[in-house]
Amino acid sequence: MRIDEEIEGVSASRKHLVFAYYVTGHGFGHATRVVEVARHLILAGHDVHVVTGAPDFVFTSEIQSHRLFIRKVLLDCGAVQADALTVDRLASLAKYLETAVAPRASILKTEVQWLTSIKADLVVSDVVPVACRAAADAGIRSVCVTNFSWDFIYAEYVMAAGDNHRSIVWQIAEDYSHCEFLIRLPGYCPMPAFRDVVDVPLVVRRFRRSRKEVREELGIGDDVTIVILNFGGQPAGWKLKEEFLPPGWLCLVCGGSDTQELPSNFIKLAKDAYTPDFMAASDCMLGKIGYGTVSEALAYKLPFVFVRRDYFNEEPFLRNMLEYYQGGVEMIRRDLLTGHWKPYLERAVSLKPCYEGGINGGEVAAHILQETAIGKNYASDKLSGARRLRDAIILGYQLQRVPGRDMAIPEWYANAESELGIGSPTCEVSEKSSLMNSCTEDFEILHGDLHGISDTMTFLKSLAELDSVYYSEKTTEKRRECKAAAGLFNWEEEIFVARAPGRLDVMGGIADYSGSLVLQMPIKEACHVAIQQNHPSKHRLWKHVLARQQAEGRNPTPVLQIVSYGSELSNRSPTFDMDLSDFMDGDKPMSYEKAKKYFSQDPSQKWAAYVAGVILVLMIELGVRFEDSISLLVSSSVPEGKGVSSSASVEVATMSAIAAAHGLSISPRDLALLCQKVENHIVGAPCGVMDQMTSACGEANKLLAMVCQPAEVLGLVEIPGHVCFWGIDSGIRHSVGGADYGSVRIGAFMGRKMIKCAASMILSRSSSTAYGTIDELEDDGYELLEAEASLNYLCNLPPHRYEALYVKVLPETILGETFLEKYDDHNDPVTVIDPNCSYVVRSPARHPIYENFRVKTFKALLTSANSDDQLTALGELLYQCHYSYSACGLGSDGTNRLVRLVQEMQYAKSSKSDDGTLYGAKITGGGSGGTVCVVGRNCLQSSQQILEIQQRYKDATGYLPFIFEGSSPGAGKFGYLRIRRRVSLDPNE
């Protein structure tokens, strides 16, 4: 329902009503918009009791009335910010648990009593979840007024924190379900817990003084250009400098600290300054996106230079609205902190914001609330009543989806691509022949082969469309990324394209760093990278990069510019740029440690380490010098956080493209080892090498067999025609950089050190007179002990030797400090022992020893005769591997549920009568979430059973898993494409 009509004022002829208005504890933005709604209710003669944690002056400076009552209570915490630009996801969930979950029973009891005592006619929430439940318990109707809800925001945080926090989201959504309907503000996020919605215009605070009056008070003439700095709290340790501003500009600083010293061209505003008046007196605004800043910038037609916030999931939707009305310019955080403001500010004042919609949302909302309080019904009867989140995700999300914004929906809430068809920003054409014809029409392929791969054809088609995108005024997220990409390339010059797939860990998993044999399958989903190198004088530079070089008075220097598609899926910046000279430390390339710190400066651009880090590795390891500018476009269909090596596919595709463009001859194996250095030393993730090796060396429909000592490829194992592997995503985000993976790896290396020391001790005892002589040991036994005393890889220890001599040597757990005192070091170059942390040792050490044996057995079974016994044995090995992972602490509720569903399907009566089709499943990769690998018979019934498992998982959790099915060639097999855009002969084009 949409309400657009102009409302002259909320009628004061209605009976005197009492409103209880709950305000979330997330910043002042909510409080300021509540003020506007409350002001109109009070003007109509009603009492408004505001429940808030915000300071009184936010309300009393705008409303002086005996009908305003302020009750200082904080019932939710919002998002906890590590600094002005970064949300701390784990701290946010922990704070919410402390604020709203632990004392929930007490909160409900208190609020019900209070609502009864004030005789509230209606509860209004912006957007405190428990307020809706308290209203229901008190028998009072409730309405929410907001542009986002906390179940949507926290859902993405749960992926980082783990499945045990998911109950928070369910509880919040159930609380909201007691709300009668939602008054939805512009710039809204998907809010699946609400079904009945009434849309209203922007809620905007009014002016008190004119632009002229404010400038006269400040003593500033109308010829001076003013930018208002509005961050609601500035980054720690930030020092503002005079040269940040263009000549003749002044900056009004909101929220500056009392001790902060400012240059002469910066003016500090009082903490209780009425911001709308100063916005009206300014020519543009520099700040972070929030509902208040965006709505008022649009209403006052004030150009807005904004900087992204990490994990602030409301931001993409507000930014879309801001950019749609041509009112926004994005500033890179690095340029904010280093003071490179001028090109952004000068660009902003050239904008002509064009928002012409209503700005009386406060008045309209107040009218709806009054009508609701006296009995009018805005909700549909058929969908009223409590709804669980499981139901709300599926139906509510689909009902309220906004075309063009799908890419901005956090992964945990999004339905899978296989159901909704949401993909990366490429043109989807069903027929390969049509794609092939289109590709050859658009590009001349000077080198390489498309191999009939449809996603490569689709990627080339998307490249061909960039010219039209560049001149398009549409500003959806897809267009936004493509527009940045369109500015990358000189279309008259050659472009190189590389492709690298993700991988499904069939067997081997985390035993790779212990030297195991692993079996890995390259999947159908892959990353494409397009690269072009140009002389710096001919390189197409983005405006802010060009302005930076001009400001420094330098001749054109080599620059790296990167565009990464799909940035909104991870709430990160879509672009990255740097001078290639930044990689130099004097006359040598910078160290890996310095590079790691360099890319960690801005969390929203940390992703660039996977791409740009390739260049530094080539400089350090191969002595390559990059004298030309480089443009890179990265487009990956390998989903992130699902344990299928999205990072490895990006690294391998990038290095393959750079090598091709620069004429470097690097074997697939060596390329994979170089990519591992990117991830280990620059990204800082302690992964093994199997991911990169599979992405580089794999072949379609074959398993790559590799002994990770460090990376000996044994060959390719044909997948028998009657056997099929699937991957099923659990929806729980996997991260190889997470604490669980790292601590398990440390435990395994501790176990190896302890086994080596135990073997040395046995040898020394056997050599002493107290324990006999060396002759008492058989020659074979002596040689075995010598080998074990110098054990390079745990997987070289046979299971029977482990059981015979060492199982009792290893403790279940050990404190880091205790281990370091006794053993000095665990000899792993990519992990560090925390002295205060307790590590599990026995299970992480046992897993690779037995896993290596399981993988060898699995490989042998694949070449055996086709039989049910063969498939049953393959499945049993997967199950054993899964439970060994769990013993290490790397399991998760989601992956365990999927394995149980496979077991239920396998042992169902119908499966037994049909000779069975699914035989086993295991968690993959680094564990703690991610994807489950399933083995089964290659037949239609197996595919049907996989889809049934997908549906059962959705019914149980509300999440529809992504299914990985199919395979594709690795980067080495694909090679590279060298292409040139065809020149049109049509004079009308």
Side-chain angles (χ1 to χ4, degrees):
M1 184 186 300
R2 174 81 199 181
I3 296 183
D4 287 311
E5 66 265 22
E6 292 293 323
I7 296 177
E8 294 298 327
V10 179
S11 171
S13 62
R14 304 293 187 178
K15 70 173 185 176
H16 171 258
L17 300 169
V18 177
F19 294 87
Y21 211 137
Y22 288 80
V23 187
T24 191
H26 181 68
F28 284 4
H30 295 265
T32 55
R33 71 189 185 195
V34 165
V35 165
E36 190 61 20
V37 179
R39 186 172 68 84
H40 283 286
L41 290 172
I42 288 170
L43 285 174
H46 307 306
D47 287 354
V48 179
H49 294 255
V50 176
V51 183
T52 182
D56 288 5
F57 77 81
V58 177
F59 303 93
T60 56
S61 62
E62 181 68 5
I63 304 173
Q64 293 85 38
S65 171
H66 66 282
R67 295 191 178 280
L68 173 67
F69 304 87
I70 299 176
R71 177 169 167 250
K72 300 303 287 293
V73 178
L74 185 66
L75 297 179
D76 70 358
C77 60
V80 176
Q81 295 193 189
D83 55 46
L85 293 171
T86 306
V87 171
D88 188 327
R89 296 171 293 173
L90 302 186
S92 297
L93 292 174
K95 187 68 174 177
Y96 189 83
L97 283 168
E98 176 189 333
T99 306
V101 176
R104 177 177 173 81
S106 173
I107 289 172
L108 285 171
K109 180 179 179 181
T110 301
E111 295 311 303
V112 168
Q113 291 174 347
W114 177 74
L115 290 170
T116 304
S117 71
I118 66 169
K119 299 180 180 178
D121 294 292
L122 186 69
V123 170
V124 189
S125 179
D126 184 357
V127 60
V128 180
V130 75
C132 304
R133 175 58 186 269
D137 289 353
I140 304 169
R141 300 168 75 188
S142 64
V143 176
C144 284
V145 183
T146 186
N147 65 306
F148 76 84
S149 57
W150 286 114
D151 54 330
F152 172 78
I153 301 297
Y154 285 159
E156 194 273 341
Y157 300 174
V158 167
M159 290 194 298
D163 189 55
N164 55 309
H165 287 83
R166 188 172 292 193
S167 60
I168 294 176
V169 182
W170 283 68
Q171 186 63 71
I172 290 173
E174 187 181 19
D175 283 347
Y176 285 147
S177 73
H178 293 284
C179 162
E180 194 158 310
F181 65 94
L182 167 68
I183 297 177
R184 188 168 61 180
L185 306 178
Y188 55 84
C189 305
M191 289 181 275
F194 302 99
R195 291 293 179 76
D196 300 296
V197 177
V198 179
D199 287 304
V200 299
L202 287 174
V203 176
V204 178
R205 291 179 290 177
R206 57 180 179 165
F207 289 143
R208 294 179 187 168
R209 294 175 294 169
S210 68
R211 172 186 174 94
K212 182 178 179 181
E213 289 172 333
V214 174
R215 283 182 170 245
E216 285 180 353
E217 177 190 317
L218 295 172
I220 300 171
D222 204 48
D223 59 334
V224 177
T225 306
I226 296 179
V227 56
I228 182 167
L229 187 67
N230 189 4
F231 275 92
Q234 296 170 17
W238 193 24
K239 187 174 182 180
L240 300 171
K241 299 180 181 179
E242 182 178 350
E243 59 267 25
F244 287 7
L245 301 178
W249 282 56
L250 285 177
C251 179
L252 306 180
V253 181
C254 301
S257 67
D258 295 334
T259 58
Q260 186 177 21
E261 295 183 4
L262 298 179
S264 59
N265 53 350
F266 287 78
I267 300 173
K268 188 186 303 180
L269 299 179
K271 287 193 174 180
D272 60 352
Y274 188 63
T275 309
D277 288 351
F278 291 96
M279 290 174 66
S282 301
D283 299 286
C284 67
M285 176 166 61
L286 171 57
K288 59 187 180 184
I289 284 181
Y291 180 84
T293 52
V294 170
S295 62
E296 290 172 356
L298 289 173
Y300 310 150
K301 292 185 168 57
L302 182 69
F304 189 177
V305 179
F306 61 87
V307 182
R308 285 176 177 241
R309 280 192 271 182
D310 302 314
Y311 310 116
F312 187 67
N313 296 334
E314 175 191 9
E315 179 181 280
F317 302 90
L318 295 171
R319 188 173 69 245
N320 283 350
M321 181 170 65
L322 184 68
E323 293 180 340
Y324 181 82
Y325 293 110
Q326 301 174 38
V329 175
E330 180 183 347
M331 177 186 283
I332 295 171
R333 187 183 307 191
R334 185 174 70 247
D335 287 342
L336 170 75
L337 299 178
T338 58
H340 186 65
W341 295 7
K342 295 176 185 177
Y344 301 99
L345 299 179
E346 290 167 351
R347 166 67 178 152
V349 295
S350 72
L351 297 178
K352 299 186 184 302
C354 59
Y355 179 77
E356 299 294 344
I359 59 173
N360 64 333
E363 192 174 339
V364 174
H367 175 78
I368 297 170
L369 294 174
Q370 177 183 265
E371 294 294 302
T372 302
I374 63 174
K376 184 171 180 178
N377 186 15
Y378 285 87
S380 59
D381 292 333
K382 65 179 181 177
L383 293 176
S384 62
R387 279 87 60 174
R388 296 295 295 181
L389 177 60
R390 179 178 64 197
D391 183 37
I393 287 177
I394 305 304
L395 296 176
Y397 167 66
Q398 291 177 345
L399 288 171
Q400 300 184 43
R401 284 177 63 213
V402 183
R405 296 181 183 173
D406 302 331
M407 295 299 289
I409 295 170
E411 182 181 2
W412 195 87
Y413 251 92
N415 289 307
E417 295 178 15
S418 53
E419 181 180 55
L420 296 178
I422 301 170
S424 58
T426 55
C427 172
E428 295 183 1
V429 183
S430 59
E431 296 296 330
K432 280 189 178 181
S433 59
S434 174
L435 271 173
M436 178 72 80
N437 292 335
S438 177
C439 291
T440 53
E441 288 174 6
D442 294 326
F443 292 102
E444 181 182 1
I445 299 178
L446 305 174
H447 173 87
D449 186 354
L450 295 174
H451 296 277
I453 301 175
S454 59
D455 65 357
T456 301
M457 301 177 199
T458 298
F459 177 71
L460 294 184
K461 184 65 178 174
S462 73
L463 276 182
E465 293 174 343
L466 287 178
D467 262 351
S468 60
V469 170
Y470 189 69
Y471 296 104
S472 170
E473 293 301 317
K474 295 181 180 179
T475 54
T476 64
E477 284 302 320
K478 183 185 292 189
R479 291 293 178 183
R480 188 170 180 272
E481 291 177 339
C482 289
K483 197 159 187 175
L488 280 175
F489 301 120
N490 290 323
W491 295 109
E492 298 81 12
E493 303 295 332
E494 294 177 355
I495 297 173
F496 292 79
V497 175
R499 178 190 185 277
R503 68 94 185 94
L504 181 65
D505 166 32
V506 175
M507 285 293 285
I510 58 166
D512 60 340
Y513 54 70
S514 293
S516 178
L517 172 67
V518 296
L519 296 174
Q520 307 292 305
M521 184 180 80
I523 58 176
K524 181 176 64 176
E525 291 74 19
C527 174
H528 286 85
V529 171
I531 181 174
Q532 186 178 76
Q533 56 174 344
N534 284 291
H535 188 275
S537 63
K538 297 181 180 179
H539 193 216
R540 295 178 70 174
L541 294 175
W542 292 322
K543 290 179 181 178
H544 72 274
V545 181
L546 179 61
R548 184 173 70 226
Q549 289 202 355
Q550 291 173 343
E552 295 171 357
R554 295 181 298 167
N555 293 326
T557 57
V559 171
L560 171 66
Q561 295 184 150
I562 307 170
V563 173
S564 174
Y565 280 157
S567 59
E568 292 310 317
L569 284 172
S570 301
N571 198 20
R572 54 179 166 79
S573 175
T575 62
F576 175 85
D577 65 85
M578 65 179 290
D579 292 343
L580 285 173
S581 59
D582 289 348
F583 275 138
M584 300 302 293
D585 190 357
D587 60 350
K588 296 181 180 179
M590 70 163 63
S591 68
Y592 287 139
E593 190 60 34
K594 285 187 177 180
K596 183 178 176 182
K597 292 178 181 177
Y598 178 90
F599 288 108
S600 298
Q601 292 178 93
D602 183 349
S604 70
Q605 293 191 318
K606 190 175 181 181
W607 61 269
Y610 294 96
V611 183
V614 166
I615 292 175
L616 181 62
V617 167
L618 289 172
M619 292 170 69
I620 293 175
E621 304 298 332
L622 300 186
V624 180
R625 291 293 175 262
F626 295 91
E627 298 177 353
D628 287 333
S629 290
I630 298 173
S631 295
L632 280 167
L633 171 61
V634 181
S635 178
S636 180
S637 63
V638 184
E640 296 178 28
K642 299 186 185 300
V644 289
S645 299
S646 59
S647 60
S649 66
V650 170
E651 293 156 359
V652 171
T654 301
M655 188 166 286
S656 298
I658 291 175
H662 291 81
L664 304 176
S665 179
I666 308 174
S667 71
R669 179 185 181 277
D670 290 342
L671 188 140
L673 291 170
L674 291 170
C675 288
Q676 185 195 19
K677 291 183 181 293
V678 176
E679 190 143 358
N680 284 173
H681 301 307
I682 300 177
V683 177
C687 70
V689 74
M690 71 177 188
D691 299 354
Q692 291 83 1
M693 291 294 287
T694 309
S695 188
C697 305
E699 291 188 19
N701 302 311
K702 298 178 182 178
L703 300 181
L704 180 76
M706 181 181 72
V707 176
C708 302
Q709 299 189 16
E712 180 188 350
V713 175
L714 298 185
L716 296 159
V717 181
E718 291 278 355
I719 300 174
H722 65 283
V723 176
C724 188
F725 297 103
W726 296 265
I728 308 179
D729 162 42
S730 67
I732 299 171
R733 193 171 182 87
H734 151 81
S735 173
V736 76
D740 286 340
Y741 177 90
S743 62
V744 170
R745 175 170 176 146
I746 289 171
F749 276 85
M750 284 178 165
R752 186 187 65 145
K753 185 65 173 279
M754 292 176 180
I755 288 171
K756 290 174 67 175
C757 290
S760 296
M761 187 174 295
I762 295 172
L763 280 173
S764 66
R765 286 177 176 174
S766 299
S767 301
S768 70
T769 55
Y771 295 93
T773 68
I774 197 70
D775 295 333
E776 293 176 352
L777 275 177
E778 296 289 341
D779 289 343
D780 291 345
Y782 181 79
E783 289 178 0
L784 280 173
L785 283 170
E786 276 195 325
E788 288 156 8
S790 58
L791 189 67
N792 288 327
Y793 297 96
L794 265 177
C795 290
N796 291 340
L797 181 67
H800 73 273
R801 291 289 292 177
Y802 169 76
E803 295 291 346
L805 296 177
Y806 303 114
V807 65
K808 294 180 180 179
V809 171
L810 302 183
E812 289 290 345
T813 63
I814 191 170
L815 186 66
E817 182 179 31
T818 304
F819 177 87
L820 292 171
E821 287 175 356
K822 186 173 182 179
Y823 297 99
D824 187 46
D825 189 15
H826 66 322
N827 303 120
D828 179 16
V830 297
T831 57
V832 177
I833 295 174
D834 180 351
N836 299 315
C837 181
S838 181
Y839 295 94
V840 178
V841 174
R842 186 176 294 174
S843 295
R846 184 182 190 275
H847 174 79
I849 293 168
Y850 278 86
E851 183 71 356
N852 189 47
F853 173 78
R854 285 190 289 262
V855 182
K856 289 179 178 179
T857 307
F858 195 94
K859 180 174 177 286
L861 280 168
L862 282 173
T863 60
S864 65
N866 176 6
S867 68
D868 284 340
D869 288 342
Q870 177 203 34
L871 286 164
T872 300
L874 290 172
E876 176 61 26
L877 290 169
L878 289 188
Y879 285 139
Q880 288 183 20
C881 176
H882 177 78
Y883 292 109
S884 184
Y885 259 80
S886 299
C888 294
L890 291 174
S892 74
D893 290 345
T895 50
N896 288 341
R897 183 186 294 275
L898 284 169
V899 171
R900 286 197 303 271
L901 287 171
V902 171
Q903 289 172 339
E904 290 169 9
M905 196 70 69
Q906 177 182 358
Y907 296 113
K909 290 182 180 179
S910 58
S911 292
K912 288 182 178 180
S913 62
D914 295 336
D915 296 327
T917 62
L918 300 183
Y919 289 88
K922 65 176 275 285
I923 194 171
T924 66
S928 298
T931 294
V932 161
C933 174
V934 182
V935 64
R937 190 179 297 280
N938 188 9
C939 63
L940 178 61
Q941 186 178 347
S942 295
S943 295
Q944 291 172 338
Q945 290 186 342
I946 292 291
L947 292 175
E948 186 176 344
I949 289 171
Q950 179 190 45
Q951 188 62 44
R952 287 188 186 181
Y953 190 81
K954 183 182 77 172
D955 292 342
T957 67
Y959 177 82
L960 184 73
F962 188 100
I963 294 176
F964 297 94
E965 184 172 8
S967 182
S968 67
K973 192 71 173 177
F974 180 85
Y976 67 89
L977 301 176
R978 180 164 59 91
I979 61 175
R980 190 196 303 273
R981 188 71 187 268
R982 291 188 183 276
V983 179
S984 173
L985 300 177
D986 187 345
N988 297 317
E989 291 187 8

